[in-house]
Amino acid sequence: MCGITGWISADTPIGRDAFERMTDRLAARGPDGRGVWFARNDRIALGHRRLAIVDLSSAGAQPMSHDARGLRLTFNGEIYNHPELRRELEARGCVYRSRCDAETILHAYAEWGDDCVTRLRGIFAFAIWDEHRARLFAARDHLGVKPLYFTDGPRGFAFASQPRAFLDLPGFAPAIAPDAFVDYLTYGVVPGERAAFKGVNKLSPAHTLEWRDGVIRTRQYWSLPDVADIVDGEAARLAVEDALRDAVASQLMSDVPVSMLLSGGIDSSLVTAIATGQGAPSAKAFTLGFNVPASDERAFAAKAAARCKIEHVVEVLEPNDIDGVIDATVEAFDEPFGIDAALPMIAISRFMASHRVKVVLTGDGADELFAGYRHYDDLSSLYGKWGKTTAAHAGDRRRAFLMRLLRKRFTPLAAYTAHNGWIADRSVAGLAGPALRGHAAERWREGRCFPNTRGPVDAGRRCDLATYLPDEILVKVDRATMAYGIEARVPFLDPKLVELAFRISPDLHYRNGERKALLKAVGRRWLPEDILTARKKGFSAPIAELVVPTPERRAQLMDSVGEGPLVSAGFLEKKGVEQSIRTSTYPAGALLQLYLLDRWARRWIWPKPGEAAALPPCTEDIRGRRIA
């Protein structure tokens, strides 16, 4: 895992000092080394901050070259099928100079061109400057685990792992993108291809990007299977078990110890059990607890760790820790991120870094693949219950008419969107200030991605994989762990396992009202029954108890937002702030969402002199090396 940057100047040479500062903005992502490369009289530059995981020697340094083909690479991620690809490429005559998976990408591009991405099994964002073809080729992994932002303007084209790097780009002035701002009010995140900064975009998951002669072209290289052709339950269970074991085994590839992020739920417990069963080297399991029983899963995590015979390390997030965690969250997330789960993710990442962890396996992605979220209950019952009622009373014309109205109003899409965002749609318009005139809130994300031609549960899973997963879950994990120089790996998002999960009938994933029915069947080989049947809590913080424990604290946060720069600049209406929180189904969540937005604006759009240096975690690597 690393931080990557690049710049292609439209006219004047790139300022080397500016580009080095741009690269060093990503120092927390790569505390183990730094490299920059310039070409064409300093009109092209690539930068790299290294987190050394595979081949710790200088041979793995980047940007990495393939001189015979005129290629130069900067890469963030891991290619888990690197050993197999290396053997294939060496058989074709490729000569390696390192043991690094980055070099495999170079040789794969040299041999297969743009289609190299279809051969890669891993998590990645990378860019290759191809001198012979005078073009830049970039790509992002299948599910969007690793980020890639880009901007294109009069001074040229630039890309980076995070938008903070653009703050040192000549001519770039941080400004709020109005559409993205309204999206944040709706979702609590900036979704899709949009970015919070005006003039910045994200490359979508499973897409490649080509820059040539000032023209940008993107292309999708992968998508989910269309047909669920596996309908036998036992065949599906055996296939998932084999694919999951293979995914975990491949992701134990590392020259440093691999640890586990163990929440105590099914997903992380299952990954931990399989990894320890395959001899994870020097593994420890890390758990974050809360002194709030409704959110605490320490007991289940301890039981899973004991079952797996793995050293278990526990940290508890206390109320007096929360301000420091919020500070670190604002620094790590250089786009506004109002999901409460960011806070415990920052806390556990900081804790793991204090134990010198560099690689950790997580259970993220299983809920999307195997129907684990509560909204699948609503999606499943929606047409099942009302559809049967309508059919049973076909002779009762009035009742049938009412049922048709209910089905029209409460569509699967409506049931799905009801679970997204703390701030009600009707309140977003009242929040928006005069700077947002003409930028209305709308649920475009689900409307574009929710396939109504499919069954509700299948449609929900596909929409989750296209939206909730890359926009929220994976952003949370990447920003929090990389802020402390930790590589988070996600075995459930191995492309082969993802494809398999969507080839299996949804009726096997969600069966007789049971979420994750198939994954639980797989897990019975490794886990005790009480972990498999425990109520899902999710990796989130008890906001009311930790963040807004008293009326005085609530008033303090409200005042910060109401008197903040977003109100002064016309992006928020002061009266709408209190109204939106009061009408929210979860006022503490809505308040946190707006407070984190206010803090983001103060830090990243209108920072005070010296403010950046005061905020953790990106000024000093926890392992004791100065990184910025």
Side-chain angles (χ1 to χ4, degrees), residues 300-478:
F300 289 111
K303 182 169 288 191
R307 178 75 170 257
C308 299
K309 298 179 180 179
I310 186 173
E311 181 180 350
H312 189 208
V313 190
V314 179
E315 172 78 333
V316 177
L317 184 59
E318 301 280 6
N320 58 4
D321 299 327
I322 204 68
D323 283 335
V325 170
I326 289 175
D327 287 346
T329 301
V330 173
E331 180 67 15
F333 289 77
D334 46 5
E335 282 197 293
F337 193 85
I339 307 304
D340 61 311
L343 304 183
M345 197 72 215
I346 282 286
I348 193 64
S349 297
R350 183 168 62 185
F351 181 58
M352 290 189 295
S354 72
H355 285 259
R356 299 184 180 276
V357 170
K358 292 186 76 172
V359 180
V360 63
L361 299 189
T362 81
D364 294 294
D367 288 313
E368 290 80 6
L369 268 61
F370 298 103
Y373 292 122
R374 294 190 184 101
H375 57 249
Y376 295 120
D377 294 336
D378 293 346
L379 289 168
S380 177
S381 64
L382 185 67
Y383 272 10
K385 179 173 67 179
W386 289 341
K388 291 176 183 177
T389 303
T390 303
H393 296 272
D396 185 341
R397 296 180 63 183
R398 184 174 181 274
R399 186 180 183 89
F401 173 72
L402 291 174
M403 288 299 105
R404 285 196 299 273
L405 285 181
L406 283 173
R407 289 181 61 180
K408 182 177 181 180
R409 180 178 178 185
F410 297 102
T411 63
L413 176 57
Y416 183 87
T417 58
H419 293 267
N420 291 332
W422 296 127
I423 299 174
D425 290 352
R426 65 181 181 276
S427 298
V428 172
L431 265 174
L436 297 179
R437 289 197 183 106
H439 300 275
E442 58 176 328
R443 292 282 180 174
W444 63 269
R445 185 174 75 160
E446 296 88 346
R448 186 178 68 178
C449 298
F450 196 97
N452 281 308
T453 56
R454 296 182 177 273
V457 171
D458 188 31
R461 290 165 62 229
R462 290 172 181 270
C463 193
D464 278 337
L465 207 75
T467 61
Y468 183 60
L469 182 73
D471 293 341
E472 300 182 30
I473 299 296
L474 296 178
V475 172
K476 171 197 72 177
V477 174
D478 175 81

Side-chain angles (χ1 to χ4, degrees), residues 55 57-61 63-68 71-72 86 90 94-100 103 106-107:
D55 192 347
S57 74
S58 60
M64 186 176 285
S65 66
H66 188 312
D67 294 331
L71 308 177
R72 188 73 62 155
R86 176 171 181 148
E90 287 180 328
C94 297
V95 178
Y96 276 72
R97 298 177 295 173
S98 74
R99 295 186 299 104
C100 213
E103 192 171 358
L106 272 175
H107 288 301

Side-chain angles (χ1 to χ4, degrees), residues 538-557:
F539 192 66
S540 58
I543 301 174
E545 293 83 355
L546 289 177
V547 183
V548 197
T550 64
E552 293 77 15
R553 172 71 169 181
R554 175 190 172 97
Q556 175 193 359
L557 301 186

Side-chain angles (χ1 to χ4, degrees), residues 136-211:
L136 183 89
F137 176 76
R140 192 174 175 203
D141 64 62
H142 301 67
L143 283 308
V145 180
K146 292 291 103 184
L148 191 65
Y149 292 79
F150 64 93
T151 182
D152 189 42
R155 296 295 303 275
F157 172 84
F159 67 85
S161 296
Q162 291 183 234
R164 68 178 68 220
F166 300 140
L167 298 180
D168 287 294
L169 194 64
F172 183 88
I176 293 172
D179 286 337
F181 191 91
V182 174
D183 284 345
Y184 176 86
L185 297 178
T186 304
Y187 296 108
V189 297
V190 179
E193 301 88 353
R194 293 173 177 171
F197 294 94
K198 186 180 292 186
V200 177
N201 292 93
K202 306 184 193 90
L203 182 64
S204 295
H207 276 68
T208 62
L209 177 149
E210 179 195 54
W211 179 97

